[in-house]
Amino acid sequence: MSSPSSEKVVVIGAGPVGALAALYAAKRGYNVEVYELRSDLRLDNTSPLNFTKSINLALSERGIQAIRSAQCPALLDAVLADALPMHGRMIHGLDSKGRFFEQSQKYDAHGRFIRACDRSHLNKTLLHELSRHPNVRLHFSHKLTGFDLNRRIAWLEDRSDSSGPNQTALDHQQRPTEKEIPFHLLLGADGAWSPTRQHLQKYARLNYSQSYIQAMWCEFTIPPSPQNEFRLSHEHLHIWPKGDFMFIAIPNRSDRSFTCTLFMPGSLFSDLDAQDAADTESNGTSPVEEPAIASFFRENFPSVIEQGLIGPDDLARQYRRNPHLPLVSISCTPYHYRDSCVILGDAAHAMVPFYGQGMNCGLEDVRVLFDFLDKSDGGAAAGKQGADGDPDLKTPLEDSANAKAKDTSPANSRAREAALAAYTTYRTADTHTITSLSLQNYTEMRSHVLRSPLYKLRKSLEELLSVYAPWTGVQTQYARVSFESGQRYSDALQAVEWQGKWLGRMLGGGLGVLGVGLGLGFWRLKGWVGSFARLEGR
């Protein structure tokens, strides 16, 4: 059986999931090479692929546990140092008298909370930790063009350029050179439009589905106040629900701003685009009183303008500058091919952002995958060496030009293949569950949090039982998903469905008893009234 220090793990994608996967592999003594399409993500001038900051991250216990399990004591502290606790949702709206109100809804009856996390800071923190390991090499501006999973060889275009740290060969119209990279195990963490998944489909009998929802999204920013303070409570995720669409705001520790997102059907975006175009065309001859997007906000989210969070002209500038992007949900299975390749994170299960679990689920993928690898024959030795501080970790990575992947032993190959197969079977049920729950939670956020008495009643009952009758095991679905990292997503859903039926029977029985009581009371009252009338008639 080949030792971990002689094996190479190639990771495609240097986002949070890819960086954490590389760190797990490095701590287990493997030689690790990470390849990322974008320029160096640690540099401030590196643009994300969609040229926007993207939807802010909500870091919850599943993601925290995955980072904690990386065996890097200072890493989690560095991540959490930039994160802001969010104890609940703050619902914004108008009361019956047309007055603005704010209604706080705590995430958890026991005081647990999620954290607002800047994607860029998280990514940089993971990459800085990763770069400290001498058995890791980071390669930016590299595009995966294909692989042979049976021969364990990958081909990548080198788009980097020696003229600058953030330059690419394409900037100077140069033809990218192609590299041939041998590996023992390839981990694909390259996002929703994963080239790894695309090429994996040529090998694995991969069932794949993708669906767009009607909603699209556009990013906005609420700047800090003139006193450089938060304009809203920084301990909440703010929601302006409007039934079919919504506006949300998440705080940023670094500059006391809020990253905001408008979610609404594509048809409404098209209508606003048409109105905005008409405003722009007529602006020279007959200036409009207010941009169309500002009028839209004044009608649907009036407190955003009236309370000075974003000015009318600034709303229009941001709406025109930032892209209006679709939301896609992707599911597939299996996640692996034999013992040579496995996909993680959005590459395996892209989900809409309404549960705040996309990144948390991806980070949890890493922890669960390596749990399975550690339990396999080959992975157990690797996990032990990584955990105990294998001296090979301090050995510099051999030159990649001379690093040829050696054939793994048949026993190690079979053990790893069994581990990857077990991971696929185990994880598919969970990722399909949270993908579905994320879609459902959009309705809760844009409508139920404000308008559904049944939602509020059930949440109140579940929290009451969780606090005062913990022996029942009742918790809200949100608490199970966000704070119970030891409970699988699929198990959480089954528990919620069971307790829903139990609460329904309890409520039904209680209402039945109440109905009988009211009926008997009415019958007795009717009898008393009749007796009184007869006495009066005498």
Side-chain angles (χ1 to χ4, degrees):
M1 184 179 295
S2 56
S3 66
S5 60
S6 71
E7 292 191 349
K8 182 198 291 186
V9 172
V10 165
V11 180
I12 307 298
V17 174
L20 187 66
L23 189 57
Y24 268 64
K27 294 294 288 186
R28 284 156 173 76
Y30 293 101
N31 291 324
V32 181
E33 293 184 6
V34 182
Y35 293 90
E36 167 60 46
L37 175 61
R38 293 164 289 183
S39 302
D40 194 336
L41 301 178
R42 294 165 294 183
L43 302 177
D44 291 335
N45 59 341
T46 296
S47 299
L49 294 180
N50 55 18
F51 302 102
T52 185
K53 290 170 66 178
S54 85
I55 302 165
N56 253 25
L57 302 176
L59 184 63
S60 61
E61 186 56 34
R62 293 177 189 272
I64 290 171
Q65 181 60 28
I67 296 172
R68 184 183 292 119
S69 300
Q71 303 170 7
C72 301
L75 176 61
L76 184 58
D77 291 339
V79 169
L80 297 183
D82 187 68
L84 276 172
M86 293 191 296
H87 294 271
R89 299 163 173 163
M90 185 69 79
I91 311 302
H92 296 256
L94 289 172
D95 64 17
S96 59
K97 297 181 179 180
R99 296 173 301 193
F100 298 133
F101 73 83
E102 295 180 354
Q103 180 188 98
S104 176
Q105 296 180 359
K106 288 187 176 182
Y107 283 129
D108 182 58
H110 300 278
R112 293 174 292 185
F113 53 86
I114 62 175
R115 292 170 169 85
C117 183
D118 180 76
R119 182 187 298 269
S120 176
H121 177 268
L122 173 63
N123 213 161
K124 290 176 182 178
T125 303
L126 289 168
L127 289 174
H128 280 307
E129 177 63 34
L130 194 56
S131 65
R132 294 178 58 248
H133 291 70
N135 57 330
V136 175
R137 282 191 174 176
L138 300 172
H139 303 270
F140 297 98
S141 301
H142 279 69
K143 179 182 179 180
L144 178 70
T145 58
F147 47 55
D148 186 329
L149 293 182
N150 293 316
R151 296 168 56 205
R152 295 187 176 85
I153 296 173
W155 294 277
L156 295 104
E157 284 184 351
D158 182 357
R159 299 184 170 194
S160 60
D161 182 78
S162 59
S163 63
N166 208 26
Q167 297 291 310
T168 69
L170 298 182
D171 292 333
H172 302 286
Q173 303 301 312
Q174 298 176 10
R175 182 182 179 86
T177 57
E178 187 170 78
K179 295 180 177 179
E180 182 175 287
I181 309 297
F183 61 85
H184 290 89
L185 177 63
L186 187 143
L187 306 180
D190 43 354
W193 309 114
S194 166
T196 305
R197 185 185 64 236
Q198 178 184 350
H199 294 297
L200 178 62
Q201 289 176 290
K202 302 171 186 176
Y203 292 85
R205 299 174 64 182
L206 192 145
N207 294 312
Y208 169 83
S209 67
Q210 85 176 38
S211 59
Y212 288 93
I213 66 172
Q214 290 186 345
M216 298 177 65
W217 65 280
C218 178
E219 183 180 286
F220 294 82
T221 300
I222 295 176
S225 71
Q227 296 76 33
N228 199 35
E229 297 294 337
F230 288 104
R231 293 179 184 265
L232 298 166
S233 166
H234 62 270
E235 295 186 342
H236 292 83
L237 184 154
H238 295 263
I239 305 177
W240 288 258
K242 198 59 182 177
D244 292 331
F245 49 93
M246 67 178 179
F247 187 67
I248 70 169
I250 300 178
N252 296 303
R253 178 187 288 275
S254 59
D255 60 0
R256 293 181 169 82
S257 67
F258 284 82
T259 298
C260 310
T261 312
L262 172 63
F263 295 102
M264 67 179 183
S267 58
L268 291 182
F269 272 109
S270 297
D271 291 344
L272 265 180
D273 290 344
Q275 295 174 39
D276 187 63
D279 289 348
T280 304
E281 291 175 3
S282 64
N283 194 40
T285 56
S286 55
V288 296
E289 293 183 2
E290 188 172 65
I293 183 63
S295 298
F296 174 83
F297 267 72
R298 197 179 295 280
E299 177 183 353
N300 296 286
F301 316 116
S303 63
V304 173
I305 293 179
E306 298 297 333
Q307 295 181 342
L309 303 180
I310 310 178
D313 292 336
D314 195 18
L315 275 171
R317 280 192 295 269
Q318 294 189 49
Y319 182 81
R320 294 164 186 165
R321 180 184 67 228
N322 295 335
H324 310 154
L325 300 172
L327 291 164
V328 67
S329 183
I330 293 174
S331 296
C332 70
T333 192
Y335 299 145
H336 75 290
Y337 175 72
R338 294 185 178 175
D339 65 329
S340 58
C341 178
V342 63
I343 53 177
L344 308 163
D346 283 355
H349 46 74
M351 64 191 72
V352 293
F354 304 118
Y355 228 118
Q357 286 296 304
M359 179 200 63
N360 291 286
C361 181
L363 298 178
E364 188 177 64
D365 284 350
V366 177
R367 181 183 64 79
V368 174
L369 171 65
F370 278 87
D371 281 348
F372 276 97
L373 290 174
D374 289 347
K375 291 172 184 175
S376 69
D377 290 343
K384 184 177 187 302
Q385 288 179 335
D388 293 345
D390 180 15
D392 285 335
L393 186 62
K394 300 178 176 62
T395 302
L397 184 70
E398 58 183 323
D399 187 84
S400 60
N402 299 320
K404 299 297 181 182
K406 304 171 186 177
D407 290 336
T408 56
S409 70
N412 192 40
S413 177
R414 287 193 299 270
R416 182 172 294 161
E417 182 174 356
L420 296 185
Y423 168 77
T424 284
T425 301
Y426 181 93
R427 197 61 178 156
T428 298
D430 294 326
T431 56
H432 285 189
T433 295
I434 189 57
T435 299
S436 177
L437 289 177
S438 297
L439 284 167
Q440 295 172 22
N441 211 46
Y442 182 38
T443 303
E444 178 177 315
M445 292 179 70
R446 62 184 167 83
S447 180
H448 289 174
V449 292
L450 189 61
R451 302 182 181 186
S452 174
L454 185 60
Y455 162 79
K456 294 179 180 180
L457 175 62
R458 174 168 174 171
K459 184 174 185 292
S460 298
L461 281 173
E462 289 173 336
E463 290 179 340
L464 192 69
L465 289 169
S466 178
V467 173
Y468 295 105
W471 52 268
T472 63
V474 171
Q475 293 190 72
T476 65
Q477 178 174 285
Y478 191 91
R480 291 183 185 277
V481 168
S482 297
F483 305 125
E484 298 294 339
S485 61
Q487 186 172 48
R488 298 174 60 184
Y489 288 119
S490 54
D491 288 345
L493 179 59
Q494 289 178 5
V496 167
E497 290 176 343
W498 173 85
Q499 74 186 30
K501 295 176 182 177
W502 180 73
L503 286 172
R505 287 194 295 268
M506 185 179 71
L507 283 173
L511 290 173
V513 170
L514 180 61
V516 171
L518 288 173
L520 287 171
F522 179 75
W523 177 77
R524 294 193 66 178
L525 179 62
K526 184 179 178 182
W528 291 336
V529 170
S531 299
F532 181 76
R534 287 192 295 271
L535 286 172
E536 284 292 311
R538 290 179 181 177

